Amino acid sequence: SAALSPTPGMMGYGAAKAASHHYLQSYGPSASEENGSTSVGILPLMLDTPANRAMLGGDGNDDDRYSKMVKPIHIANEIGEWIKNPHLRPHSGSLVKVMAKNRMDGSGGAAFHLVR
């Protein structure tokens, strides 16, 4: 999201994200034409990692903030589906936003939305 909206307190971070997205969108289509590879930008709000949990603080139990984190396995599973079913894969150079659909009990999944 940092590259898609203003980041007043984190301008360097937002600029780096925007540059990465621009590079991916510029490189993706040519890579696909040249060698058949697909480059897709995955944009999770926040990944569920030990470091991100530590940054948020709290014990993680009964805390709604953790339910908004995207579990890496959900991203891996979606990429696996794209490999098995190429017709579901976004075009090379696409940006795909990932939103957690987690429930307090840890179940759920992730929703993938094409941004660009």
Side-chain angles (χ1 to χ4, degrees), residues 20-39:
S20 297
H21 295 180
H22 179 78
Y23 176 79
L24 179 79
Q25 290 176 297
S26 298
Y27 169 75
S30 64
S32 182
E33 290 173 9
E34 289 174 16
N35 60 26
S37 65
T38 302
S39 300

Side-chain angles (χ1 to χ4, degrees), residues 21 23-33 36-42 78 82-83 85-97 112-116:
H21 295 180
Y23 176 79
L24 179 79
Q25 290 176 297
S26 298
Y27 169 75
S30 64
S32 182
E33 290 173 9
S37 65
T38 302
S39 300
V40 176
I42 306 293
E78 184 71 13
W82 295 345
I83 292 168
N85 301 294
H87 66 280
L88 298 176
R89 184 183 317 149
H91 294 290
S92 193
S94 297
L95 301 177
V96 179
K97 193 170 190 172
F112 293 74
H113 303 281
L114 188 63
V115 178
R116 292 189 185 146

Side-chain angles (χ1 to χ4, degrees), residues 17-114:
K17 290 280 194 172
S20 297
H21 295 180
H22 179 78
Y23 176 79
L24 179 79
Q25 290 176 297
S26 298
Y27 169 75
S30 64
S32 182
E33 290 173 9
E34 289 174 16
N35 60 26
S37 65
T38 302
S39 300
V40 176
I42 306 293
L43 316 176
L45 179 62
M46 182 181 280
L47 285 175
D48 189 351
T49 65
N52 283 340
R53 283 181 173 260
M55 180 187 66
L56 285 179
D59 62 8
N61 299 323
D62 300 326
D63 192 332
D64 189 47
R65 294 177 299 168
Y66 295 99
S67 69
K68 293 176 177 50
M69 295 176 136
V70 176
K71 297 184 183 324
I73 190 67
H74 295 145
I75 294 172
N77 288 341
E78 184 71 13
I79 292 171
E81 287 299 314
W82 295 345
I83 292 168
K84 289 189 286 188
N85 301 294
H87 66 280
L88 298 176
R89 184 183 317 149
H91 294 290
S92 193
S94 297
L95 301 177
V96 179
K97 193 170 190 172
V98 184
M99 304 293 289
K101 297 192 308 183
N102 299 323
R103 298 181 193 90
M104 291 298 285
D105 66 0
S107 65
F112 293 74
H113 303 281
L114 188 63

